[in-house]
Amino acid sequence: MADDTIGIVGAGIVGLATGREIALRRPGTRVVVFEKEQQVAAHQTGHNSGVVHAGIYYAPGSLKADLCVRGVSLLRAYCRDRQLPYQEIGKLVVAVREDELGRMENLYERARNNHVPDLRRISRDEIREIEPNAGGIAALHSPRTAITDYRAVARRFAEDIAAQGGEVELGFPVSSLTDVPGGIEVASGERRVRVDRLVLCAGLQSDTVAGLARDRKDPRIVPFRGEYMLLKPDRTDLVRGLVYPVPDPRYPFLGVHFTPRVDGSVEVGPNAVLALAREGYKLSDVSVRDLARLAAYPGVWKMAAQHWRTGVREYRGSLSAAAFMRAAGDYVPGVGTDDVVRGGAGVRAQALDRDGSLVDDFRIHRVGRVTAVRNAPSPAATASMAIAEHICDAVFPGAGDAP
């Protein structure tokens, strides 16, 4: 298979990890990554919270569980080898009410089945030893949960691709995919590149790009904007590590939490509101075209019928800093609007099925010469190198491991 050309659509961390894996595993294969923006990691990767998830939340046996746990070990080794930030600051998953204790216990059993290292249940007093300012009546402590800089990791992946003779074509929005004898022609306006096989890692545009490859219409991408507050510099000592709520299994997002960053800042958030544009990082970002697509998809209306109360609560937090911080105050009592300033936002590409179900697991499949990543939300950044192995196994079965 040497001298083949493999195309990757999307220069986020999953696309770049996949290109790197192919280039290392198949010397002589030309890898070309197509990216519509003028830089790598411009969307989900570049707006990521930086958390390296340990694998606590995911259903045992799912792709998320398997690839997250594998991905942590690969990412840790890579960051240490390349002298990239990787700080094991630990995480508390905190129960603040009695009715959360059963869910916390279920989470503990799930994490044990996923072989999360060194996880333990802790009491109210032990919480205070780890996080003196935290609230809660009990918690799970994951000391190996880490933070990193995913944008820096993505840039290094791109350098690895170039070092193997590959290319990252920036400013290349894919406009058409055409079957040609023995391959696929990838076009951006008048620019044409022929590849032998193609991997779609298009994130927020994954269903649109999959449509160009004549893939199935479902699932569709629904963009959820997550907005953050930042602790003021003189208040960053309120937390030492990550402080999370016990998640509600009825909803796919984790809720407002405290996230130290490798630059020393501390984020509070995010909420999760329906974005009014695929790349709608601000409340004022509105795309009539994107809204029309959402409105035309029956799954959106079914999802809204199931989760409208949660949606109202999340929008209230988006519009009111006081409402936003009330949720945070359950986990760090006393923190309030005077302790924070508005931070940034990210947009999560959440796949939605026609029946209104939010797709929970990674969803990756093949269509002829095309391998399509149709759902890769969190923990995709953590799992990116393991996802790359998984994709490479599908594209080149029996090819062996990358060095």
Side-chain angles (χ1 to χ4, degrees):
M1 211 59 69
D3 300 322
D4 273 5
T5 297
I6 307 299
I8 313 284
V9 178
I13 196 167
V14 172
L16 292 168
T18 300
R20 173 186 178 275
E21 179 73 13
I22 292 170
L24 291 173
R25 189 180 294 199
R26 304 292 294 177
T29 297
R30 178 186 175 219
V31 172
V32 184
V33 182
F34 304 103
E35 170 55 49
K36 70 183 180 70
E37 306 295 353
Q38 295 296 333
Q39 60 182 334
V40 304
H43 291 292
Q44 291 186 106
T45 303
H47 295 83
N48 191 289
S49 66
V51 177
V52 182
H53 292 282
I56 295 172
Y57 306 104
Y58 318 117
S62 66
L63 276 180
K64 274 190 176 182
D66 294 344
L67 299 183
C68 180
V69 172
R70 168 70 175 157
V72 170
S73 63
L74 294 171
L75 183 63
R76 182 193 305 115
Y78 185 83
C79 287
R80 290 177 177 171
D81 180 62
R82 305 306 174 94
Q83 297 184 319
L84 293 167
Y86 191 94
Q87 301 171 18
E88 290 185 343
I89 62 172
K91 175 194 285 186
L92 290 181
V93 181
V94 179
V96 296
R97 299 186 306 273
E98 292 287 339
D99 62 3
E100 294 179 328
L101 294 177
R103 296 209 310 267
M104 191 187 83
E105 184 62 24
N106 291 339
L107 199 64
Y108 176 74
E109 293 301 325
R110 173 173 284 196
R112 286 188 62 197
N113 286 331
N114 290 340
H115 306 291
V116 173
D118 303 326
L119 186 76
R120 64 191 183 99
R121 307 179 191 89
I122 63 173
S123 67
R124 185 196 303 265
D125 290 341
E126 290 172 302
I127 291 173
R128 307 298 183 271
E129 292 172 8
I130 296 166
E131 290 286 354
N133 298 305
I137 57 175
L140 302 180
H141 182 220
S142 172
R144 302 290 294 278
T145 297
I147 55 174
T148 189
D149 181 345
Y150 284 116
R151 191 189 291 267
V153 173
R155 287 195 296 262
R156 192 60 63 86
F157 286 168
E159 292 172 7
D160 291 345
I161 291 170
Q164 294 295 319
E167 306 154 47
V168 179
E169 292 281 353
L170 300 175
F172 196 109
V174 174
S175 56
S176 68
L177 301 172
T178 305
D179 290 330
V180 295
I184 302 164
E185 184 181 78
V186 183
S188 179
E190 297 302 314
R191 300 162 71 186
R192 302 281 193 275
V193 179
R194 184 199 173 280
V195 301
D196 294 280
R197 305 185 199 191
L198 188 65
V199 182
L200 308 181
C201 302
L204 286 160
Q205 308 296 337
S206 60
D207 55 348
T208 303
V209 175
L212 298 178
R214 292 159 296 284
D215 192 8
R216 66 192 73 165
K217 293 183 178 181
D218 300 326
R220 300 287 181 87
I221 292 299
V222 177
F224 283 92
R225 185 174 63 256
E227 300 158 329
Y228 290 90
M229 297 289 186
L230 284 173
L231 288 180
K232 292 178 178 178
D234 63 346
R235 300 296 280 162
T236 56
D237 60 354
L238 281 172
V239 295
R240 298 172 176 175
L242 300 147
V243 180
Y244 276 55
V246 176
D248 185 338
R250 298 171 299 176
Y251 200 59
F253 307 113
L254 294 177
V256 170
H257 46 271
F258 290 78
T259 307
R261 303 296 301 262
V262 295
D263 64 4
S265 63
V266 177
E267 291 180 332
V268 186
N271 57 1
V273 298
L274 186 65
L276 304 182
R278 289 277 178 125
E279 297 164 8
Y281 296 102
K282 300 190 297 290
L283 191 62
S284 58
D285 291 336
V286 179
S287 166
V288 174
R289 181 181 181 186
D290 289 346
L291 286 175
R293 286 178 175 174
L294 286 175
Y297 188 55
V300 170
W301 298 103
K302 293 174 182 177
M303 176 192 70
Q306 297 174 51
H307 298 296
W308 69 269
R309 290 181 180 84
T310 302
V312 169
R313 184 177 67 246
E314 296 292 312
Y315 268 107
R316 187 180 299 124
S318 178
L319 297 171
S320 165
F324 190 105
M325 292 306 297
R326 271 196 294 274
D330 288 339
Y331 302 94
V332 178
V335 70
T337 55
D338 291 341
D339 301 304
V340 296
V341 294
R342 287 279 179 183
V347 181
R348 171 187 174 123
Q350 174 62 54
L352 179 72
D353 275 327
R354 186 168 290 267
D355 64 0
S357 301
L358 294 156
V359 179
D360 184 54
D361 205 1
F362 298 146
R363 191 170 291 185
I364 303 166
H365 63 258
R366 291 185 63 182
V367 184
R369 293 176 176 269
V370 176
T371 300
V373 179
R374 295 297 297 269
N375 190 55
S378 180
T382 299
S384 57
M385 298 179 77
I387 294 172
E389 289 181 337
H390 180 82
I391 292 171
C392 203
D393 288 342
V395 175
F396 300 119
D401 295 328

